[in-house]
Amino acid sequence: MQYAIMKKALFSVLLAAAAVLPAQAQQRNILLIIADDLGSDSFPLTASAGASLPPMPNISALKNSGVLFRNTYAQPTCSPTRATILTGRYTFRTGIGQQVTAASGQLTAAEFTLPEAFAANPGLNYSLAMFGKWHLNAGAGSNDTPRTFGGWPHFAGTISGALPDYSNWTKVTNNVTSTVTSYATTELTNDVIAWIASRPAGTPWFAWAAYNAPHTPFHFPPAHLHSFGAAAATDRNQYEAMCEALDTEVGRLLAAVNLANTHVIFIGDNGTPGSVIQTPYTNAHSKGGLYEGGVRVPMIIAGPDVVSPNRNHDGPVHSVDLYSTILELAGINASTTQPAANPIDSTSLLPILKNTVPVSRTVFSQVFGPDYTTTAGRVIKDASGYTLLQYDDGREELYNIATSPNQTSNLLGTSITSAAQSAYAAMKLQLANYSVTGIPNEPLVHSWFTQNSGRYARIYETDASQSAQTAVTTWNRGAGVQTLPVYAGVQQEDYSGNRV
């Protein structure tokens, strides 16, 4: 196959150039656990006061030997988040900005993935395998893409998104399909435990365990896995029972692992579904959208190399950061291993795990959509708690999460503080560095202006003209028209108390 030949050629170059970090005293195993549709509002350690919460003691206990990341962000749906972890690249680079279908963007052979980075450093001798939900390819011929495009030497799980039935589903094991009637959460756990037990003595391993739970269809799992036997069959009760069952099985998995020599990463892939989302978020600000309820997820990283464990980290981090973090936990230098043609957006979290001074950063999420839909767009959050949403139809919204956690008080169109104005300008500039997929080259200024401008807008063609305050044209809010010359070639708009 052509793509296989190209990747082998790429590996031959990388093997000569790949570098590893300074040797650790002992090579560590790495276990990545992904929960499907578990947002921060529904996890016991990150939920708000007053929320109804599932018992999840085993996963919560990981904090005792690790760090709880209280402001972790992902993408609004599962496929884009999984792509960020696998490649270390944001949506606009991979082309995966929505739930993968046969008609949408999918993972391609051009991407450089975590398994390929490990393969480029064969001297470390890691064994790799992936289990559970793939959902980065769809359609005819996709059953073997976890190996051919993803680079995994071993795969056992599901290719598509939601399971039709957790007790009757199609499993793919290295391109061989079978019908499975055992409970999906249990089956995945059994597979991971069996694979780990079969590793040769002294061989480090990296396992990616992507559970389907607690994704729909909501149901009560087998009774021995949860404590909701007498509960009413509501969506929320069933969702919490699925979370508890997930925790029960993760507890069994952790008991089979040598935690003294294993780093464990737990993360949710996107926000909680609208039908079961908890305070402070609402149905309209849930999975699938760019608001906090759609992109903020729980994450814990635990392990023997965490310095001063049982800590919280409150700065913003992103699922994309797991790419560099996993590589560096294995002793791989992410920057020198990465091909120049595949620049990454991932920031290693090792400084946080080592309890040194972390780099302050912003985080970015995106939803693709056709024809400037009302949900398609981008969001960026800074370390001070401001978020800026830019929708593909031209709208913008600015929030201070500390005062508006459910993002209902848009600061644009009001008199804003100098801190908010500075945050807005900085995030605008940063968004300019991110390519925008599927929207026009020029913003829909009329729509944007009439919804967000306090008084009027001055429009500049370049940064130089903005600095010189030589506007191309001015919008007058009252008349709703431009002064001459008419709008052309807008590159940037900035907001202040009197203008945008």
Side-chain angles (χ1 to χ4, degrees):
M1 298 180 186
Q2 184 177 9
Y3 62 77
I5 294 171
M6 292 174 61
K7 287 198 168 187
K8 286 179 181 177
L10 176 62
F11 282 150
S12 67
V13 175
L14 286 169
L15 289 175
V20 297
L21 297 173
Q24 299 181 126
Q26 185 177 8
Q27 284 184 292
R28 308 297 192 187
N29 306 315
I30 302 169
L31 174 61
L32 171 64
I33 301 171
I34 302 175
D36 198 349
D37 283 6
L38 179 65
S40 62
D41 62 286
S42 290
F43 183 65
L45 299 186
T46 53
S48 297
S52 174
L53 297 172
M56 302 185 73
N58 295 304
I59 297 172
S60 297
L62 289 171
K63 184 192 172 187
N64 295 334
S65 57
V67 177
L68 171 68
F69 293 82
R70 294 188 54 83
N71 284 288
T72 302
Y73 291 82
Q75 301 299 326
T77 54
C78 61
S79 301
T81 294
R82 293 159 202 273
T84 63
I85 300 172
L86 189 66
T87 68
R89 288 151 56 85
Y90 281 139
T91 48
F92 63 86
R93 299 191 197 277
T94 64
I96 302 175
Q98 60 194 88
Q99 177 177 305
V100 163
T101 66
S104 70
Q106 302 186 32
L107 187 72
T108 70
E111 291 297 334
F112 186 74
T113 66
L114 272 173
E116 290 168 344
F118 275 87
N121 292 273
L124 295 175
N125 198 33
Y126 268 85
S127 289
L128 273 67
M130 179 184 171
F131 304 90
K133 181 175 176 177
W134 173 243
H135 207 193
L136 290 174
N137 295 93
S142 60
N143 277 358
D144 206 25
T145 51
R147 296 194 301 170
T148 57
F149 289 174
W152 292 103
H154 176 81
F155 172 79
T158 58
I159 300 300
S160 60
L163 296 175
D165 185 328
Y166 273 61
S167 296
N168 188 357
W169 50 283
T170 299
K171 179 179 179 180
V172 177
T173 304
N174 295 333
N175 202 29
V176 176
T177 62
S178 60
T179 299
V180 178
T181 56
S182 61
Y183 189 65
T185 307
T186 298
E187 179 78 4
L188 185 152
T189 304
N190 291 341
D191 285 347
V192 181
I193 291 174
W195 180 82
I196 291 172
S198 68
R199 296 308 89 205
T203 301
W205 50 263
F206 167 39
W208 173 308
Y211 285 90
N212 294 88
H215 195 290
T216 54
F218 298 140
H219 61 276
F220 286 123
H224 68 282
L225 298 177
H226 66 93
S227 59
F228 286 77
T234 65
D235 282 354
R236 182 67 199 184
N237 283 342
Q238 292 176 332
Y239 176 85
E240 291 190 19
M242 294 170 72
C243 289
E244 185 179 7
L246 167 65
D247 184 82
T248 300
E249 290 292 24
V250 167
R252 186 165 65 91
L253 171 58
L254 296 177
V257 169
N258 176 14
L259 295 178
N261 194 41
T262 303
H263 291 296
V264 181
I265 303 168
F266 172 80
I267 189 172
D269 70 341
N270 49 244
T272 302
S275 64
V276 291
I277 199 160
Q278 295 279 285
T279 182
Y281 310 126
T282 55
N283 179 281
H285 292 186
S286 58
K287 173 188 175 179
L290 292 169
Y291 294 104
E292 292 273 295
V295 296
R296 186 166 165 248
V297 298
M299 184 170 76
I300 301 173
I301 302 180
D305 295 333
V306 175
V307 175
S308 301
N310 201 17
R311 289 184 281 120
N312 292 338
H313 178 74
D314 292 326
V317 298
H318 197 280
S319 60
V320 76
D321 297 333
L322 291 183
Y323 180 85
S324 293
T325 303
I326 289 169
L327 292 180
E328 295 194 2
L329 284 173
I332 297 172
N333 189 314
S335 60
T336 57
T337 298
Q338 193 70 19
N342 296 72
I344 59 174
D345 305 292
S346 182
T347 298
S348 174
L349 303 178
L350 253 65
I352 300 171
L353 301 179
K354 297 293 187 181
N355 208 18
T356 59
V357 179
V359 177
S360 179
R361 62 164 305 183
T362 58
V363 291
F364 170 84
S365 301
Q366 184 174 19
V367 175
F368 293 177
D371 303 323
Y372 325 134
T373 59
T374 57
T375 57
R378 311 182 293 168
V379 62
I380 187 169
K381 180 175 182 177
D382 70 9
S384 64
Y386 286 98
T387 61
L388 174 63
L389 287 78
Q390 286 187 339
Y391 288 100
D392 290 2
D393 63 6
R395 293 173 295 126
E396 284 191 327
E397 299 172 10
L398 177 69
Y399 298 98
N400 182 349
I401 299 303
T403 57
S404 184
N406 191 36
Q407 295 164 291
T408 55
S409 300
N410 184 7
L411 299 177
L412 296 181
T414 68
S415 177
I416 61 176
T417 66
S418 58
Q421 182 174 326
S422 296
Y424 173 80
M427 289 189 288
K428 285 274 288 188
L429 288 174
Q430 180 128 8
L431 281 176
N433 294 324
Y434 295 143
S435 172
V436 185
T437 300
I439 71 170
N441 291 330
E442 296 178 344
L444 305 179
V445 173
H446 180 74
S447 169
W448 187 89
F449 167 78
T450 56
Q451 294 192 44
N452 291 290
S453 173
R455 297 185 183 176
Y456 57 88
R458 285 180 176 169
I459 300 171
Y460 305 92
E461 281 190 309
T462 65
D463 287 341
S465 63
Q466 179 195 6
S467 299
Q469 293 293 290
T470 53
V472 173
T473 181
T474 300
W475 280 88
N476 179 284
R477 183 173 177 82
V481 297
Q482 290 177 286
T483 59
L484 294 175
V486 296
Y487 154 75
V490 170
Q491 292 185 8
Q492 182 174 331
E493 305 95 0
D494 282 334
Y495 182 90
S496 74
N498 294 324
R499 63 182 67 89
V500 288

